[in-house]
Coordinates of all heavy atoms in Angstrom, one line a residue:
L328 N -19.2 10.5 8.4 CA -18.6 9.3 8.7 C -17.3 9.1 8.1 O -17.1 9.2 6.8 CB -19.5 8.1 8.5 CG -19.3 6.8 9.0 CD1 -19.3 6.8 10.6 CD2 -20.4 5.7 8.5
K329 N -16.2 8.8 8.9 CA -14.8 8.7 8.3 C -14.6 7.2 8.3 O -14.6 6.5 9.3 CB -13.8 9.4 9.1 CG -14.1 10.9 9.1 CD -13.1 11.7 9.9 CE -13.5 13.2 10.1 NZ -13.2 13.9 8.8
V330 N -14.3 6.7 7.0 CA -14.2 5.2 6.8 C -12.9 4.8 6.0 O -12.4 5.7 5.2 CB -15.5 4.8 6.0 CG1 -15.5 3.3 5.6 CG2 -16.7 5.3 6.7
S331 N -12.4 3.7 6.3 CA -11.4 3.1 5.4 C -11.6 1.6 5.1 O -12.2 0.9 5.9 CB -9.9 3.4 5.9 OG -9.7 2.4 6.9
T332 N -11.1 1.3 4.0 CA -11.0 -0.2 3.7 C -9.5 -0.5 3.4 O -8.9 0.1 2.6 CB -11.8 -0.7 2.5 OG1 -11.6 0.4 1.4 CG2 -13.4 -0.7 2.8
R333 N -9.0 -1.4 4.3 CA -7.6 -1.9 4.0 C -7.8 -3.0 3.0 O -8.7 -3.9 3.2 CB -7.0 -2.5 5.2 CG -6.5 -1.5 6.2 CD -5.1 -0.9 6.1 NE -4.9 0.2 7.0 CZ -4.1 1.0 7.0 NH1 -3.1 1.0 6.0 NH2 -4.1 2.1 7.8
L334 N -7.0 -3.1 1.9 CA -7.1 -4.1 0.9 C -6.0 -5.0 0.8 O -4.8 -4.6 1.1 CB -7.3 -3.3 -0.4 CG -8.4 -2.2 -0.4 CD1 -8.4 -1.4 -1.6 CD2 -9.7 -2.7 0.0
V335 N -6.2 -6.2 0.3 CA -5.2 -7.2 0.2 C -5.1 -7.6 -1.2 O -6.1 -7.3 -2.0 CB -5.4 -8.4 1.1 CG1 -5.3 -7.9 2.6 CG2 -6.7 -9.1 0.8
P336 N -4.0 -8.2 -1.7 CA -4.1 -8.8 -3.1 C -5.3 -9.7 -3.3 O -5.6 -10.4 -2.4 CB -2.8 -9.7 -3.2 CG -1.9 -9.0 -2.0 CD -2.8 -8.6 -1.0
D337 N -6.0 -9.7 -4.3 CA -5.8 -8.8 -5.7 C -6.9 -7.8 -5.6 O -7.6 -7.5 -6.7 CB -6.1 -9.8 -6.8 CG -4.8 -10.6 -7.1 OD1 -3.6 -10.2 -6.7 OD2 -4.9 -11.8 -7.6
Q338 N -7.3 -7.3 -4.5 CA -8.4 -6.2 -4.5 C -7.9 -4.9 -5.1 O -6.7 -4.7 -5.0 CB -8.8 -6.0 -3.1 CG -9.7 -7.1 -2.4 CD -9.9 -6.7 -0.9 OE1 -9.1 -6.5 -0.1 NE2 -11.3 -6.6 -0.6
R339 N -8.8 -4.3 -5.8 CA -8.5 -3.1 -6.6 C -9.2 -1.9 -6.0 O -10.5 -1.9 -5.7 CB -8.7 -3.1 -8.0 CG -7.7 -3.9 -8.7 CD -8.1 -4.3 -10.2 NE -9.4 -5.1 -10.2 CZ -10.5 -4.6 -10.9 NH1 -10.4 -3.4 -11.6 NH2 -11.6 -5.2 -10.8
P340 N -8.5 -0.9 -5.5 CA -9.2 0.3 -4.7 C -10.3 0.9 -5.5 O -11.3 1.1 -5.0 CB -8.0 1.4 -4.7 CG -6.6 0.6 -4.8 CD -7.0 -0.6 -5.6
E341 N -10.2 1.1 -6.8 CA -11.3 1.7 -7.6 C -12.5 0.8 -7.6 O -13.6 1.3 -7.5 CB -10.8 2.0 -9.0 CG -9.7 2.9 -9.1 CD -8.3 2.1 -8.7 OE1 -8.2 1.0 -8.8 OE2 -7.4 3.0 -8.4
A342 N -12.3 -0.6 -7.8 CA -13.5 -1.5 -7.8 C -14.1 -1.6 -6.5 O -15.3 -1.5 -6.4 CB -12.9 -2.8 -8.2
I343 N -13.3 -1.4 -5.4 CA -13.9 -1.7 -4.0 C -14.7 -0.3 -3.7 O -15.7 -0.4 -3.2 CB -12.8 -1.8 -3.0 CG1 -12.1 -3.3 -3.2 CG2 -13.3 -1.6 -1.6 CD1 -13.1 -4.4 -2.8
A344 N -14.1 0.8 -4.2 CA -14.8 2.1 -3.9 C -16.1 2.0 -4.6 O -17.1 2.6 -4.0 CB -13.9 3.3 -4.5
R345 N -16.2 1.5 -5.8 CA -17.5 1.5 -6.5 C -18.5 0.6 -5.8 O -19.6 0.9 -5.7 CB -17.2 0.9 -8.0 CG -17.0 1.9 -9.0 CD -17.1 1.5 -10.4 NE -16.3 0.3 -10.7 CZ -15.0 0.5 -11.0 NH1 -14.4 1.7 -11.3 NH2 -14.4 -0.7 -11.3
L346 N -18.0 -0.5 -5.3 CA -19.0 -1.4 -4.6 C -19.5 -0.8 -3.4 O -20.6 -0.9 -2.9 CB -18.2 -2.8 -4.1 CG -17.7 -3.7 -5.3 CD1 -17.0 -4.9 -4.6 CD2 -19.0 -4.2 -6.0
V347 N -18.5 -0.1 -2.6 CA -18.9 0.6 -1.4 C -20.0 1.7 -1.6 O -21.1 1.8 -1.0 CB -17.7 1.2 -0.6 CG1 -18.1 2.1 0.6 CG2 -16.9 0.0 -0.1
A348 N -19.7 2.5 -2.6 CA -20.6 3.5 -3.0 C -22.0 3.0 -3.3 O -23.0 3.7 -2.9 CB -20.0 4.5 -4.1
K349 N -22.0 1.9 -4.1 CA -23.3 1.4 -4.6 C -24.1 0.9 -3.4 O -25.2 1.1 -3.3 CB -22.9 0.3 -5.5 CG -24.1 -0.2 -6.5 CD -23.7 -1.2 -7.4 CE -24.6 -2.2 -7.7 NZ -24.0 -3.5 -8.3
H350 N -23.4 0.2 -2.5 CA -24.1 -0.3 -1.4 C -24.6 0.7 -0.4 O -25.8 0.7 0.1 CB -23.1 -1.2 -0.5 CG -23.6 -1.9 0.7 ND1 -24.7 -2.9 0.5 CD2 -23.5 -1.8 2.0 CE1 -25.0 -3.4 1.6 NE2 -24.2 -2.7 2.6
V351 N -23.8 1.8 -0.2 CA -24.4 2.9 0.7 C -25.6 3.6 0.0 O -26.5 3.9 0.8 CB -23.2 3.9 0.8 CG1 -23.7 5.2 1.6 CG2 -22.1 3.3 1.7
K352 N -25.5 3.7 -1.3 CA -26.6 4.4 -1.9 C -27.9 3.5 -1.7 O -29.1 4.1 -1.7 CB -26.4 4.5 -3.5 CG -25.5 5.6 -3.8 CD -26.3 7.0 -3.8 CE -25.4 8.2 -3.8 NZ -25.6 9.2 -3.0
R353 N -27.7 2.2 -1.8 CA -28.9 1.3 -1.7 C -29.5 1.4 -0.3 O -30.7 1.4 -0.1 CB -28.4 -0.2 -2.0 CG -29.4 -1.0 -2.5 CD -29.0 -2.3 -3.3 NE -27.7 -2.7 -2.7 CZ -26.6 -3.2 -3.3 NH1 -26.8 -3.3 -4.7 NH2 -25.6 -3.6 -2.8
V354 N -28.7 1.6 0.7 CA -29.1 1.6 2.1 C -29.7 3.0 2.4 O -30.7 3.1 3.0 CB -27.9 1.5 3.1 CG1 -28.4 1.6 4.6 CG2 -27.3 0.1 2.9
N355 N -29.0 4.1 1.9 CA -29.6 5.5 2.1 C -29.1 6.4 0.9 O -28.0 6.8 0.8 CB -29.0 6.0 3.4 CG -29.6 7.3 3.8 OD1 -29.9 8.1 3.0 ND2 -29.7 7.5 5.1
K356 N -30.1 6.7 0.0 CA -29.8 7.3 -1.1 C -29.3 8.8 -1.0 O -28.7 9.3 -2.0 CB -31.0 7.3 -2.1 CG -32.2 8.1 -1.7 CD -33.2 8.1 -2.7 CE -34.5 8.9 -2.4 NZ -34.3 10.0 -1.4
D357 N -29.5 9.4 0.1 CA -29.1 10.8 0.4 C -27.7 10.9 0.8 O -27.1 12.0 0.9 CB -30.0 11.4 1.4 CG -31.4 11.6 0.9 OD1 -31.7 11.6 -0.4 OD2 -32.3 11.5 1.6
V358 N -27.0 9.8 1.1 CA -25.8 9.8 1.7 C -24.6 10.0 0.5 O -24.8 9.2 -0.2 CB -25.4 8.5 2.7 CG1 -23.9 8.6 3.0 CG2 -26.3 8.6 3.8
K359 N -23.8 11.0 0.8 CA -22.8 11.2 -0.3 C -21.5 10.5 0.1 O -21.0 10.6 1.1 CB -22.5 12.7 -0.5 CG -22.1 13.1 -1.8 CD -22.1 14.6 -2.0 CE -20.7 15.1 -1.9 NZ -20.6 16.4 -1.4
V360 N -21.0 9.7 -0.8 CA -19.7 9.0 -0.6 C -18.6 9.6 -1.5 O -18.7 9.6 -2.7 CB -20.0 7.4 -1.0 CG1 -18.6 6.8 -0.8 CG2 -20.9 6.8 -0.1

Side-chain angles (χ1 to χ4, degrees):
L328 192 61
K329 296 175 188 289
V330 178
S331 80
T332 47
R333 289 273 168 191
L334 307 177
V335 300
D337 287 331
Q338 289 179 299
R339 286 168 302 123
E341 302 72 24
I343 294 293
R345 271 195 302 276
L346 291 179
V347 168
K349 195 169 145 207
H350 183 64
V351 170
K352 280 284 168 222
R353 212 159 31 213
V354 177
N355 189 325
K356 66 173 177 30
D357 296 335
V358 173
K359 204 168 103 211
V360 176

